Amino acid sequence: PRARLTIDPDFTIAPVPRRLFGSFVEHMGRCVYTGIYEPGHPKADADGLRTDVLDLVRELGPTVVRYPGGNFVSGYYWEDGVGPKEQRPRRLDRAWRSIETNEFGLGEFARWAKAAGTEPMMAINLGTRGIQEACDILEYANHPGGTKYSDLRRAHGNADPFDIKLWCLGNEMDGPWQVGHKTAAEYGRLAAETARAMRLVDPTIELVACGSSNRHMPTFGEWERVVLEETYDQVDYISAHAYYQEHDHPGDFLACARDMDLFIESVVATADAVRARGKHRKHIDISFDEWNVWYQTRHRESAIAKGESEWEVAPRVIEDEYSITDAVVVGTLLNSLLRHGDRVTVACQAQLVNVIGLLRSEPGGPAWKQTIAHPFEQVRRRAAGEILDVRVRSDRYETPRFGDVDLVDASGTWDAENGVVALFLANRDQTEAATVEVGVRGFGELRVQHAAVLAAAEGQDRHTNNDEQHPDRVGLRPLDGVEVADGQATVTLPPLSWAVVQLA
Ligand code: AHR
């Protein structure tokens, strides 16, 4: 296939929102326990944080990390996870049919986030709890001192407030699977009143109302409308969540970023309609705070999902191993987020370790990067300055779900200060290389500064993954043959590949 991209330094969408490259740590399976935290592991520090995992997290560099759930948060008592560890109770986590030891809680997470160099983002429980508990945790986290909960934090060894800015008002409250699931009207009222009370405790916070758990929920659209009618003046963001997997048509799976595009554009349209009707001045942005590839059909067959497992501490749950195909899809999902960076200003890949993770770790053993970590890390590192309005004219292919879809998918940024164009490109064609021509005349003299690609190497196929024995089997390798001449860059993308090209 062939594709022609048109870019111009004057045609930009928005500054790259740094919080677009977030991730998520839920008390679920082995994300926390034996993921980021494992006292007794040879690489654990004095607080039990795994330094081998921390090193990999620092390389990935998620700019924000959401915590502690997810479905978990809708039954969570945050107070159980603070104070002397020997006094912390064990509880049943109904969301993931596990035993929560509470050895790790808010204080440990704040310490971990600092060590990882990331911004913490907290979710509160609006499933089984409400306004008062939301204000209590906020007082514990952000109030300097001299009150019950701020003094408790200080007594627990944290003199300085955690100063957490981003707060999610519950999780997936539209989902019948959620403990404390609500109708849009019930949730909208509770979220508005909780937000109002939380802002009285700390007016500097930013608040996320729950949007839909995916675009195919029966309440999609109407949920956003009703929730935003109730909460518009009290919140800053509406959330979106989306997970994709390959069913019986790889071409469909490779095109699933179209679903993300449509999801984002529909939520923006709904939010703007509420804005117009309510004569509001501000815009509501999207916090796409859960997104990834997730083989949900496999999970639905598991004993945990069927309620047939024993109650265990940190069982293995949804430890999907990601292939080259999954990495290409993740690259296209990042493209979709970046293309909409004027309105999607927070996003969290879900999740960071083990549970549908960018990273994997074994108890007492090693930690490594999954295939999907590579596009995430590269876009986080190299997207800088302004998002370019990349116009793509590509050969197309037919898909059952999305109709005709571009074989070449792209996004890009322009860092005017350093004179760098970064392009993120995917070739969805499974058998043919793609020739991509990019008109770069408007940027002055450019040369290739960096070009790397993720694709099947000799002896591999689209299903190849990384594992404990082969942690580096799939990664990036130099992309040869990129040329810039007469105001045009030419890139050849191998079949089924994701690439980054930097011109400076
Ligand atoms: O990330 C896994 C789960 O997916 C989260 O707990 C929930 O919010 C979503 O359904």
Side-chain angles (χ1 to χ4, degrees):
R2 299 187 78 81
R4 164 113 198 134
L5 313 187
T6 305
I7 53 175
D8 188 292
D10 287 332
F11 295 159
T12 57
I13 292 173
V16 175
R18 291 320 301 171
R19 284 168 166 171
L20 206 58
F21 312 114
S23 188
F24 175 36
V25 166
E26 176 165 4
H27 281 249
M28 174 177 178
R30 301 191 309 107
C31 189
V32 171
Y33 303 108
T34 71
I36 62 172
Y37 173 83
E38 189 179 342
H41 187 281
K43 301 263 175 70
D45 69 9
D47 296 323
L49 303 182
R50 276 186 69 156
T51 58
D52 56 341
V53 174
L54 262 177
D55 288 344
L56 293 175
V57 172
R58 288 193 201 103
E59 282 177 34
L60 295 178
T63 47
V64 58
V65 175
R66 182 168 174 254
Y67 173 84
N71 297 343
F72 169 80
V73 82
S74 296
Y76 185 43
Y77 282 76
W78 69 270
E79 304 89 327
D80 292 348
V82 296
K85 291 203 179 186
E86 60 288 356
Q87 289 170 22
R88 297 187 192 179
R90 289 158 73 93
R91 281 206 195 242
L92 296 180
D93 162 23
R94 289 156 290 192
W96 301 111
R97 205 177 161 78
S98 311
I99 292 176
E100 174 55 53
T101 64
N102 285 304
E103 260 179 81
F104 191 96
L106 175 52
E108 287 78 22
F109 179 66
R111 147 103 175 77
W112 176 86
K114 203 165 177 194
T118 192
E119 177 185 358
M121 174 181 189
M122 283 298 292
I124 55 155
N125 175 355
L126 286 188
T128 60
R129 308 187 84 190
I131 301 172
Q132 187 56 52
E133 295 89 344
C135 292
D136 293 346
I137 184 176
L138 181 58
E139 181 185 318
Y140 183 95
N142 285 8
H143 196 70
T147 63
K148 173 173 170 175
Y149 287 107
S150 57
D151 284 346
L152 198 58
R153 182 197 68 240
R154 295 173 73 91
H156 294 159
N158 295 297
D160 293 332
F162 301 142
D163 197 22
I164 299 172
K165 290 285 172 241
L166 272 171
W167 293 79
C168 302
L169 297 162
N171 177 70
E172 293 189 350
M173 299 308 301
D174 63 325
W177 58 86
Q178 200 71 208
V179 173
H181 160 237
K182 293 171 178 50
T183 66
E186 287 165 351
Y187 170 70
R189 285 291 301 132
L190 178 60
E193 292 310 318
T194 307
R196 211 189 309 274
M198 288 175 79
R199 285 199 197 283
L200 296 174
V201 176
D202 181 351
T204 71
I205 56 174
E206 295 168 57
L207 291 166
V208 185
C210 288
S212 293
S213 301
N214 62 67
R215 191 168 75 87
H216 307 282
M217 294 296 291
T219 49
F220 175 62
E222 183 62 358
W223 174 275
E224 280 76 1
R225 183 190 71 75
V226 173
V227 168
L228 286 176
E229 296 274 4
E230 290 288 353
T231 60
Y232 204 96
D233 286 330
Q234 314 302 332
V235 303
D236 305 284
Y237 306 89
I238 181 101
S239 72
H241 291 180
Y243 293 103
Y244 302 101
Q245 76 167 93
E246 183 172 335
H247 292 281
D248 38 18
H249 196 289
D252 239 1
F253 176 48
L254 284 162
C256 67
R258 282 299 299 141
D259 182 89
M260 189 180 243
D261 290 338
L262 294 168
F263 193 170
I264 293 168
E265 286 155 24
S266 311
V267 175
V268 167
T270 308
D272 288 350
V274 176
R275 174 175 182 261
R277 188 155 174 264
K279 301 186 177 59
H280 302 283
R281 289 178 68 114
K282 72 173 183 188
H283 281 102
I284 296 285
D285 282 352
I286 297 176
S287 171
F288 216 117
D289 45 41
E290 287 186 34
W291 67 268
N292 201 359
V293 172
W294 171 8
Y295 287 83
Q296 280 181 299
T297 45
R298 262 184 237 153
H299 170 61
R300 285 189 204 113
E301 293 306 311
S302 70
I304 285 204
K306 289 180 168 165
E308 293 167 356
S309 60
E310 296 296 324
W311 292 87
E312 269 179 60
V313 175
R316 287 183 188 262
V317 192
I318 60 171
E319 298 195 358
D320 287 3
E321 293 195 337
Y322 292 115
S323 66
I324 289 174
T325 313
D326 299 327
V328 173
V329 166
V330 161
T332 62
L333 296 174
L334 286 158
N335 280 347
S336 173
L337 293 169
L338 200 53
R339 283 193 293 262
H340 295 95
D342 55 335
R343 296 301 291 275
V344 182
T345 50
V346 178
C348 304
Q349 172 280 341
Q351 299 186 7
L352 188 57
V353 194
N354 292 328
V355 174
I356 44 175
L358 292 174
L359 304 175
R360 284 289 317 272
S361 67
E362 279 300 308
W368 66 95
K369 285 180 190 169
Q370 298 233 58
T371 61
I372 60 169
H374 295 287
F376 179 91
E377 181 176 333
Q378 290 300 311
V379 183
R380 195 276 301 158
R381 272 178 201 273
R382 297 180 192 278
E386 293 280 325
I387 302 167
L388 287 165
D389 184 0
V390 183
R391 295 300 165 102
V392 181
R393 278 165 154 249
S394 167
D395 287 341
R396 313 192 96 200
Y397 71 116
E398 207 186 304
T399 67
R401 275 176 66 210
F402 305 107
D404 282 354
V405 172
D406 288 344
L407 279 161
V408 171
D409 185 69
S411 70
T413 61
W414 166 231
D415 176 0
E417 209 173 301
N418 298 300
V420 182
V421 174
L423 296 168
F424 309 105
L425 308 167
N427 178 13
R428 292 176 167 130
D429 194 305
Q430 294 169 60
T431 51
E432 305 281 325
T435 305
V436 185
E437 292 167 353
V438 193
V440 293
R441 209 170 287 282
F443 297 89
E445 189 80 5
L446 290 178
R447 292 214 182 106
V448 182
Q449 189 185 52
H450 177 82
V453 68
L454 185 151
E458 186 103 10
Q460 301 183 344
D461 63 23
R462 72 183 191 88
H463 303 290
T464 307
N465 62 5
N466 292 339
D467 60 26
E468 189 175 345
Q469 280 73 43
H470 311 94
D472 301 315
R473 184 161 48 191
V474 179
L476 289 163
R477 57 175 196 268
L479 176 63
D480 300 325
V482 180
E483 282 173 12
V484 190
D486 303 327
Q488 178 169 296
T490 310
V491 183
T492 305
L493 300 172
L496 192 63
S497 62
W498 178 88
V500 52
V501 174
Q502 265 182 329
L503 308 171

